[in-house]
């Protein structure tokens, strides 16, 4: 099959994007500068939505008329670390071998952004009847932290889009639902004392146990809540306690304890109710600790709150993506994206992008050239429909 006329440009753009080390701990501003410069030179209207500390930024760009409707092409700019991974290529230098393009972010998800940039000159020159929005976020990999402010800015604007394509790696298949991401950190401060004198202090570790037990019980509730026809694997939402810290010795009542829980809820799970239940129990634990340690404290901090992406009833984005790809299968995934955040704002969303999730976050991450080719064709057809 002939390759897209945009493929070579997409590969060149991917090479440039990969060279920016936008690991989430770093700034993404050099990449944003580059993309904003290209899109502005093509006549695109661009705005930055900076992070609170100014070290990072989202970028929202628009081509076409300033009217309601149109589509958002959404991607994130950050990537996960390469630290300690056994790479056989330079992760920041795009390497082509046997039809594969190696480099950090090639799959997750700079490949999609590279295809957007390759198509940008054609989009800019097109006689669009509906606008094409380009939305690039920061800090997706650490809890989808950047997208909410950008989505809020887009929806406060004078003209609002209708549909969104989130270009996370799906092998260019249409994904219509995924689980969410909700994380909590619990910190307890007690009072140290000799372990034989339990009334002279408050052991933070001991008092953390009932709070962890509550979460373990809620994991069982989530397991039982799954309907028989759940499309997810596993079929239920999950809740795990992934980190536990505290204590200095067996014979000392622990001054501090900390644990973290990660939930991946299905659309029917109410993680906010679980969090409120945990906070209520934390207040009870704190009161018990203060009987022996007046300065004791228990805090519950929500670190990330990314809603699940639910199937839409005759969704506009799904119809559009299926029309272009010919993919009529029902497909859901258990990993999370920013799709649920766009959907919560009232937009119709689909997830479809180049690469396989099996390559995401891996050493020697790659995307196939054929997948980039398919993505260029997909975006060409989709943005072309904005001129109809």
């Amino acid at each position: 099959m002939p390759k897209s006329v945009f493929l070579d440009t997409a590969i060149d753009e991917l090479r440039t994007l990969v060279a920016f080390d936008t690991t989430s701990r770093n700034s993404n501003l050099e990449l944003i500068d580059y993309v904003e410069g290209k899109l502005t030179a093509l006549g695109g209207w661009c705005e930055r939505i900076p992070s609170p500390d100014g070290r990072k930024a989202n970028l929202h760009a628009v081509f076409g008329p300033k009217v309601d409707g149109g589509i958002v092409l959404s991607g994130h700019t950050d990537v996960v670390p390469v630290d300690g991974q056994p790479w056989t290529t330079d992760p920041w230098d795009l390497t082509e071998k046997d039809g594969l393009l190696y480099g950090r972010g090639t799959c997750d998800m700079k490949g999609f952004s590279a295809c957007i940039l390759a198509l940008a000159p054609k989009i800019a020159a097109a006689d669009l009847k509906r606008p094409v929005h380009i939305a690039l976020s920061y800090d997706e990999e650490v809890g989808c932290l950047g997208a909410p402010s950008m989505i809020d800015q887009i929806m406060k604007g004078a003209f609002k889009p209708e549909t969104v394509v989130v270009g996370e790696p799906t092998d260019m298949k249409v994904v219509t639902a995924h689980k969410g991401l909700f994380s909590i950190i619990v910190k307890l401060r007690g009072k140290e004392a000799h372990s034989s004198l339990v009334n002279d202090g408050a052991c933070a570790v001991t008092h953390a146990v009932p709070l962890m037990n509550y979460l373990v019980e809620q994991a069982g509730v989530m397991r039982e809540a799954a309907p028989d026809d759940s499309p997810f694997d596993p079929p239920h939402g999950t809740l795990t306690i992934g980190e536990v810290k505290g204590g200095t010795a067996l014979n000392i009542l622990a001054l501090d304890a900390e644990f973290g829980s990660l939930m991946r809820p299905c659309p029917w799970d109410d993680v906010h109710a679980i969090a409120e239940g945990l906070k209520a129990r934390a207040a009870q634990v704190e009161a018990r600790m203060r009987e022996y340690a007046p300065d004791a404290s228990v805090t519950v901090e929500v670190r990330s709150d990314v809603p699940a992406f639910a199937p839409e009833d005759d969704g506009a984005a799904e119809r559009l993506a299926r029309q272009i790809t010919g993919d009529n299968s029902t497909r859901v995934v258990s990993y999370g994206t920013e799709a649920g955040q766009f959907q919560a704002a009232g937009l119709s969303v689909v997830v479809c992008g180049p690469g396989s999730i099996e390559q995401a976050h891996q050493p020697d991450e790659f995307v196939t050239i054929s997948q980039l080719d398919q993505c260029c064709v997909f975006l060409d057809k989709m943005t072309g429909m904005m001129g109809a």
Side-chain angles (χ1 to χ4, degrees), residues 54-134:
R55 293 183 61 248
K56 304 175 184 181
N58 301 303
L59 181 65
H60 173 218
V62 185
F63 289 96
K66 292 179 171 57
V67 298
D68 287 341
I71 192 164
V72 179
L73 305 178
S74 167
H76 63 79
T77 61
D78 61 318
V79 297
V80 297
V82 300
D83 307 36
Q85 292 187 332
W87 283 75
T88 61
T89 65
D90 183 341
W92 313 114
D93 184 11
L94 191 71
T95 302
E96 180 180 345
K97 183 179 179 181
D98 298 329
L100 309 180
L101 297 169
Y102 293 91
R104 176 55 90 217
T106 49
C107 161
D108 185 18
M109 60 175 293
K110 291 180 177 179
F112 184 73
S113 298
C115 292
I116 294 173
L117 293 177
L119 268 293
K122 181 175 180 178
I123 294 171
D127 182 19
L128 298 172
K129 302 297 187 295
R130 290 168 289 172
V132 174
H133 298 250
I134 298 169

Side-chain angles (χ1 to χ4, degrees), residues 14 57 108 270-271 335:
L14 183 56
D108 185 18
D270 189 349
V271 291
Y335 58 84

Side-chain angles (χ1 to χ4, degrees), residues 190-207 249-255 288-294 296:
K191 180 183 177 183
E192 288 181 317
H194 193 279
S195 60
S196 66
L197 302 173
V198 294
N199 291 339
D200 289 351
C203 181
V205 171
T206 299
H207 284 89
L250 291 178
N251 59 354
I252 302 175
L253 301 186
L255 175 64
R288 289 196 294 270
M289 294 175 71
R290 286 184 174 179
E291 294 177 11
Y292 305 100

Side-chain angles (χ1 to χ4, degrees), residues 228-252:
D228 292 338
D229 61 350
S230 170
F232 293 101
D233 180 19
H236 52 81
T238 58
L239 186 160
T240 56
I241 297 173
E243 290 184 317
V244 181
K245 306 173 185 175
T248 54
L250 291 178
N251 59 354
I252 302 175

Side-chain angles (χ1 to χ4, degrees), residues 126-375:
D127 182 19
L128 298 172
K129 302 297 187 295
R130 290 168 289 172
V132 174
H133 298 250
I134 298 169
L136 301 180
S137 68
Y138 66 86
D139 280 359
E140 189 272 349
E141 295 289 5
V142 289
C144 297
L145 303 181
S149 61
M150 177 173 60
I151 295 169
D152 184 60
Q153 188 75 6
I154 292 172
M155 298 308 291
K156 284 181 178 177
F159 54 101
K160 298 175 179 59
E162 178 186 16
T163 57
V164 182
V165 175
V166 177
E168 292 276 11
T170 67
D171 291 307
M172 290 308 299
K173 304 296 184 182
V174 178
V175 168
T176 57
H178 64 60
K179 295 181 180 182
L181 181 71
F182 190 85
S183 63
I184 290 177
I185 302 296
V186 180
K187 297 180 180 180
L188 299 91
R189 166 58 65 95
K191 180 183 177 183
E192 288 181 317
H194 193 279
S195 60
S196 66
L197 302 173
V198 294
N199 291 339
D200 289 351
C203 181
V205 171
T206 299
H207 284 89
V209 172
L211 300 179
M212 289 189 280
N213 281 339
Y214 166 74
L215 292 177
V216 172
E217 292 168 1
Q218 292 304 307
V221 172
M222 293 173 74
R223 188 178 301 110
E224 296 300 319
D228 292 338
D229 61 350
S230 170
F232 293 101
D233 180 19
H236 52 81
T238 58
L239 186 160
T240 56
I241 297 173
E243 290 184 317
V244 181
K245 306 173 185 175
T248 54
L250 291 178
N251 59 354
I252 302 175
L253 301 186
L255 175 64
D256 292 303
E258 178 179 330
F259 66 90
S261 175
L262 179 67
M263 307 178 206
R264 294 187 181 273
C266 294
W268 53 79
D269 291 318
D270 189 349
V271 291
H272 297 106
I274 295 175
E276 289 305 311
L278 179 64
K279 290 177 181 178
R281 285 159 178 79
Q284 295 170 358
V285 167
E286 183 181 77
R288 289 196 294 270
M289 294 175 71
R290 286 184 174 179
E291 294 177 11
Y292 305 100
D295 296 328
S297 64
V298 183
T299 61
V300 178
E301 177 189 354
V302 175
R303 285 285 178 88
S304 56
D305 184 1
V306 183
F309 171 37
E312 298 173 6
D313 185 15
D314 193 31
E318 180 182 346
R319 288 198 312 272
L320 184 62
R322 293 198 188 285
Q323 180 181 349
I324 295 171
T325 63
D327 178 15
N328 293 314
S329 300
T330 299
R331 190 173 290 101
V332 304
V333 294
S334 292
Y335 58 84
T337 77
E338 296 165 339
Q341 294 171 315
F342 280 102
Q343 188 178 61
L347 298 171
S348 178
V349 190
V350 73
V351 183
C352 185
S356 168
I357 194 63
E358 294 179 359
Q359 299 305 320
H361 303 185
Q362 298 298 309
D364 288 347
E365 176 184 348
F366 68 81
V367 66
T368 66
I369 292 176
S370 63
Q371 285 275 302
L372 281 189
D373 192 21
Q374 290 179 50
C375 185

